[in-house]
């Protein structure tokens, strides 16, 4: 709640709107306590007194009534009517929308067609017709305004509910045996309340205007009772002779509606969870970079990371997701990055091409050299021309990365045409070649399939074809086989292996499975809590792990045909990266930890091709 208020206040326009509304509401609330003249007492001798006259701060109207008093009482009435209409419309509209969206089918159809009928009328006309039927009067104006706004809420909320009603947690509630009533109240409602609040905060201004409009036409509040609309209506005749009688209520309406709309927009922005973690800004196209020194490139390789540091800065907390990571990969080589979930593998991979969302992500140090060119902080245009062209990504879930409504062949063709100006027909031919290259049978007919028509393994092949589309130098594969079953996983791995041998691709393969590393990778880097703790050629690391963490990770892999062996889970959890312990982050879970391990920073000791960050390694590296 306090975070919400902070965000709201940081948005200056919203804060201004909020201040105006707060002032108006407070004035309206304390109106009965103020020493005002009676709003409805006429005194024709004092007609049209100018503002700032003694006794009448805002002057008087055509019947000599005090304008200040009428304004405050009128504002009170207008706010009350507008707000009640909004609440009534929101409650009825949301109820109708939730019922229609949740039950669907015929109920939905009947309700929505009724709503459509109401929406087919221009809505001031509809309000006029309702008031005409009920007779003039403020109460009837309120009913009319509420009634014409019900369809708006109903449509809006129905749309949201349809989306939520199909989600897994609602199915889970059904499976748990909950009734419709409970599901609607406890599963659906909490998810739509923010939307209702937002819709209300942005329409309440309209409702006040509509009520004022009806009163202006003489259909709302009846003389002598003042509301802002009727004050304007009565002042119309004297617009030229005594403009202040119009300006006073007009200015108040303007202030209220502007204030509410600015505040409403601010509320909407501040409630949007995507904006909550950062400032009120959209994520930037590339990760923001804030580094003091740029490490020079050492060694070779097509891609080389030097002391890369990426953090998430969320409020006062700093999450060190990637902490001085140095890696390199040569053409035709496959480098594995392995570690438990949350160890910073994905963030490392995404930092290279500036794909970490900013805010909250910031690259605070290090460099990523691609063929000698630093990519960190490179201009967005340069990054964009490399993304998907020279350096391509494959993600875990191709279902999420493929567009559900386009045929896979078209999506492949598009990926090519983003970087190469070739004709559509050529791109389509190339797409079919790619599908053949990733061993999809009947590539030509498969190219016309939609993602949901393919199996998981098939989709991941399309994902790989997509990454291969522009013959990249480097493929960064982030757990591409985690969602697949083992036979498909083996096929995908051998496919990647062949591709790299045929085309001299460099692959960075991220996984949490040593079995996969053993099948595919030449070298492996082990990550823990954002740091590399061990690195070396796969064979030697597997045979003789140097870091206790590596040893325990390897012990977690079941081996077939090796007789009975105890599978050892690593007790405990990786540390939260916003509260890293001093020294070795693995020490609390390590059976060999001694006092020295937690005393201070531990360096990555290199010896030949291997490196380890441990004071008491399992193996002395030579
Ligand atoms: P993994 O090794 O499983 O791929 P990640 O690289 O995704 O792990 O995450 C590394 C750390 O960064 C985790 O502790 C995670 O909580 C944190 N992290 C990742 N993305 C964000 C984010 N958008 N905001 C805050 N923290 C994040
Ligand atoms: Mg990950």
């Amino acid at each position: 709640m306090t975070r919400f208020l902070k965000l709201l206040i940081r948005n200056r326009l919203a804060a201004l709107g909020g201040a105006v509304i707060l002032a108006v509401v407070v004035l309206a609330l304390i109106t009965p306590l103020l020493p005002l003249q009676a709003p409805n007492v006429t005194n024709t001798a004092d007609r049209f007194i100018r503002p700032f006259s003694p006794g009448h701060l805002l002057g008087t109207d055509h019947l000599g009534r005090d304008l200040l008093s009428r304004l405050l009482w009128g504002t009170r009435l207008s706010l009350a009517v507008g707000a009640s209409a909004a609440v009534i419309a929101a409650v009825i509209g949301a109820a109708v929308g939730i019922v229609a969206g949740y039950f669907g089918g015929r109920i939905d159809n009947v309700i929505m067609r009724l709503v459509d009928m109401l929406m087919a009328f221009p809505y001031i006309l509809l309000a006029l017709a309702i008031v005409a039927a009920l007779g003039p009067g403020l109460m009837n104006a309120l009913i009319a305004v509420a009634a014409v706004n019900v369809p708006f809420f109903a449509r809006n909320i129905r749309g949201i509910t349809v989306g939520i009603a199909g989600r897994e947690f609602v199915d889970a509630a059904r499976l748990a045996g909950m009734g419709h009533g409970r599901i609607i109240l406890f599963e659906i409602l909490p998810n739509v309340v923010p939307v209702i609040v937002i819709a209300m905060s942005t329409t309440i201004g309209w409702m006040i205007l509509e009520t004022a409009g009806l009163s202006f036409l003489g259909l709302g509040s009846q003389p002598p009772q003042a509301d802002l609309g009727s004050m304007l209506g009565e002042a119309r005749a004297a617009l030229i002779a005594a403009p202040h009688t119009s300006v006073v209520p007009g200015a108040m309406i303007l202030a209220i509606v502007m204030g509410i709309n600015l505040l409403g927009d601010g509320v909407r922005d501040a409630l949007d969870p995507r904006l909550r973690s950062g400032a009120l800004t959209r994520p930037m196209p590339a990760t923001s970079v804030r580094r003091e020194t740029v490490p020079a490139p050492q060694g070779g390789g097509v891609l080389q990371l030097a002391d890369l540091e990426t953090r998430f800065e969320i409020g006062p907390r700093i999450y060190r997701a990637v902490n001085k990571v140095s890696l390199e990969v040569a053409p035709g080589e496959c480098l594995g990055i392995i570690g438990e979930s949350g160890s910073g593998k994905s963030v490392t991979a995404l930092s290279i091409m500036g794909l970490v969302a900013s805010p909250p992500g910031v690259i605070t140090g290090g460099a990523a050299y691609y063929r000698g060119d630093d990519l960190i902080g490179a201009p967005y245009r340069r990054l964009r021309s490399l993304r998907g062209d020279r350096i391509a990504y494959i993600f875990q879930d191709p279902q999420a990365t493929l567009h559900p409504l386009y045929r896979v062949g078209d999506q492949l063709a598009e990926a090519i045409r983003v970087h190469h100006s070739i004709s559509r027909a050529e791109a389509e031919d190339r797409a079919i070649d790619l599908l053949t290259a990733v061993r999809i049978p009947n590539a030509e007919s498969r190219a016309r399939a939609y993602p949901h028509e393919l199996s998981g393994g098939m989709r991941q092949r399309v994902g790989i074809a997509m990454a291969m589309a522009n013959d990249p130098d480097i493929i960064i594969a982030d757990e591409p086989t985690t969602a697949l079953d083992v036979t498909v996983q083996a096929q995908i791995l051998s496919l990647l292996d062949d591709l790299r041998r045929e085309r001299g691709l460099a692959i960075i393969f991220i996984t949490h499975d040593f079995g996969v590393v053993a099948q595919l990778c030449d070298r492996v880097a082990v990550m823990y809590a954002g740091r590399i703790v061990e690195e070396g050629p796969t064979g030697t690391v597997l045979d003789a792990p140097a870091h206790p963490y590596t040893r325990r990770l390897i012990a977690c892999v079941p081996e077939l045909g090796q007789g009975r062996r105890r599978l050892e889970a690593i007790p405990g959890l990786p540390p939260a990266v916003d509260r890293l312990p001093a020294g070795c982050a693995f020490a609390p879970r390590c059976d060999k930890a001694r006092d020295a391990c937690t005393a201070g920073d531990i360096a990555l000791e290199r010896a030949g091709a291997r490196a380890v960050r441990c004071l008491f390694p399992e193996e002395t590296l030579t």
Side-chain angles (χ1 to χ4, degrees):
M1 193 63 202
T2 48
R3 182 130 124 220
F4 166 73
L5 286 179
K6 258 191 219 151
L7 276 178
L8 197 59
I9 290 169
R10 208 178 321 159
N11 181 343
R12 292 229 189 99
L13 281 176
L16 178 71
V20 170
I21 292 305
L22 188 70
V24 172
V25 169
V26 167
L27 268 181
L29 286 178
I30 61 171
T31 298
L33 307 177
L34 295 177
L36 294 170
Q37 303 178 22
N40 299 333
V41 174
T42 56
N43 180 3
T44 27
D46 288 345
R47 298 174 73 210
F48 294 129
I49 293 182
R50 299 279 151 182
F52 308 114
S53 313
H56 298 289
L57 189 57
L58 294 180
T60 59
D61 69 359
H62 64 295
L63 295 177
R65 296 174 293 197
D66 182 50
L67 269 182
L68 177 63
S69 164
R70 282 181 77 71
L71 178 74
L72 291 183
W73 284 98
T75 303
R76 191 174 149 88
L77 198 59
S78 285
L79 282 183
V81 172
S84 336
V87 171
I88 294 172
V91 169
I92 299 180
V96 169
I98 289 179
V99 167
Y102 176 75
F103 290 102
R106 192 169 300 158
I107 299 182
D108 185 25
N109 242 323
V110 171
I111 294 182
M112 281 303 121
R113 294 304 80 76
L114 286 175
V115 165
D116 288 345
M117 265 157 62
L118 283 180
M119 281 188 125
F121 292 96
Y123 79 12
I124 270 294
L125 264 190
L126 184 61
L128 284 176
I130 295 174
V131 181
L134 298 177
L138 201 52
M139 207 57 199
N140 294 343
L142 190 160
I143 295 173
V145 170
V148 299
N149 281 290
V150 164
F152 164 80
F153 281 96
R155 272 224 157 273
N156 221 335
I157 300 302
R158 174 200 171 261
I160 308 284
T161 310
V162 167
I164 294 170
R167 296 266 291 277
E168 291 77 2
F169 66 90
V170 176
D171 292 341
R174 281 204 193 100
L175 288 177
M178 281 201 206
H180 292 313
R182 277 181 77 92
I183 294 181
I184 288 181
L185 274 185
F186 297 111
E187 309 289 327
I188 308 261
L189 194 60
N191 286 290
V192 295
V193 163
V195 185
I196 302 178
V197 171
I198 289 166
M200 240 172 85
S201 68
T202 44
T203 49
I204 192 166
W206 266 112
M207 302 214 196
I208 291 176
L209 269 186
E210 285 159 14
T211 330
L214 290 176
S215 292
F216 179 84
L217 296 174
L219 298 171
S221 79
Q222 300 299 310
Q225 194 182 37
D227 82 347
L228 294 174
S230 66
M231 285 176 73
L232 266 184
E234 288 166 1
R236 193 176 33 163
L239 186 59
I240 307 297
H244 68 278
T245 50
S246 307
V247 169
V248 165
M252 181 56 97
I253 291 182
L254 182 75
I256 293 178
V257 174
M258 287 274 287
I260 289 183
N261 285 351
L262 290 178
L263 180 64
D265 286 354
V267 168
R268 188 195 53 212
D269 288 352
L271 279 180
D272 189 330
R274 282 164 300 179
L275 302 178
R276 224 184 273 165
S277 57
L280 278 172
T281 49
R282 305 270 160 218
M284 291 187 265
T287 313
S288 56
V289 175
R290 201 180 53 221
R291 54 179 181 175
E292 272 131 39
T293 53
V294 180
Q298 318 128 0
V302 257
L303 183 71
Q304 190 208 341
L305 307 187
D307 291 334
L308 189 67
E309 254 185 78
T310 306
R311 299 178 179 175
F312 294 97
E313 301 184 341
I314 301 177
R317 292 220 184 88
I318 294 178
Y319 296 83
R320 291 168 206 277
V322 177
N323 203 344
K324 292 199 184 290
V325 165
S326 302
L327 289 171
E328 62 178 67
V329 57
E333 186 187 35
C334 178
L335 169 73
I337 302 182
I338 188 166
E340 279 168 285
S341 170
S343 53
K345 309 179 298 290
S346 298
V347 177
T348 305
L350 294 173
S351 300
I352 298 171
M353 291 302 260
L355 291 169
V356 176
S358 277
V362 194
I363 296 176
T364 49
Y369 291 100
Y370 164 71
R371 298 195 179 283
D373 254 4
D374 190 8
L375 297 178
I376 305 296
Y380 174 60
R381 285 184 42 196
R382 165 108 179 111
L383 286 177
R384 213 185 66 186
S385 73
L386 289 175
R387 286 178 186 174
D389 186 37
R390 302 290 86 223
I391 302 180
Y393 284 85
I394 306 172
F395 293 103
Q396 175 175 338
D397 184 5
Q399 179 82 302
T401 43
L402 291 173
H403 194 297
L405 301 182
Y406 291 113
R407 300 171 196 280
V408 293
D410 294 345
Q411 297 191 48
L412 276 170
E414 192 196 2
I416 302 169
R417 276 157 57 92
V418 168
H419 292 288
H420 299 272
S421 47
I422 57 172
S423 74
R424 178 169 288 275
E426 275 176 275
E428 276 164 13
D429 288 345
R430 174 118 178 78
I432 291 171
D433 292 345
L434 282 166
L435 291 178
T436 317
V438 295
R439 301 195 206 120
I440 288 187
N442 304 329
E444 234 156 290
S445 65
R446 286 301 185 181
R448 288 192 296 275
Y450 290 96
H452 70 269
E453 294 170 336
L454 303 177
S455 67
M458 209 68 107
R459 271 199 294 269
Q460 194 55 289
R461 283 166 199 263
V462 175
I464 295 174
M466 191 87 103
M468 300 294 306
N470 297 302
D471 243 326
D473 296 327
I474 303 162
I475 283 191
I476 300 174
D478 191 349
E479 312 212 20
T481 57
T482 304
L484 305 175
D485 57 59
V486 278
T487 45
V488 181
Q489 165 168 313
Q491 292 168 0
I492 298 274
L493 292 182
S494 80
L495 170 66
L496 276 173
D497 203 40
D498 292 349
L499 289 174
R500 118 178 122 102
R501 284 177 210 285
E502 284 163 22
R503 311 194 184 202
L505 260 179
I507 298 182
I508 296 183
F509 195 97
I510 296 174
T511 177
H512 55 248
D513 184 349
F514 250 115
V516 171
V517 170
Q519 275 182 58
L520 186 67
C521 300
D522 304 308
R523 282 189 307 123
V524 59
V526 184
M527 266 188 102
Y528 189 79
R531 318 197 77 167
I532 303 277
V533 295
E534 173 156 10
E535 195 190 319
T538 308
T540 48
V541 171
L542 277 174
D543 289 341
H547 199 285
Y549 177 60
T550 317
R551 173 176 59 81
R552 313 279 312 248
L553 264 189
I554 294 173
C556 290
V557 182
E559 272 178 81
L560 294 179
Q562 293 281 319
R564 280 169 176 262
R565 184 174 65 111
R566 241 172 69 99
L567 271 190
E568 286 186 66
I570 308 178
L573 289 172
V577 284
D578 60 330
R579 287 185 305 269
L580 285 179
C584 176
F586 185 62
R589 300 166 76 189
C590 183
D591 46 12
K592 302 178 75 184
R594 298 183 216 166
D595 288 346
C597 293
T598 50
D601 211 44
I602 297 166
L604 189 69
E605 300 288 347
R606 288 191 182 273
R610 298 194 61 177
V612 64
R613 191 188 294 278
C614 183
L615 294 179
F616 311 102
E618 311 263 335
E619 300 277 331
T620 352
L621 301 182
T622 46

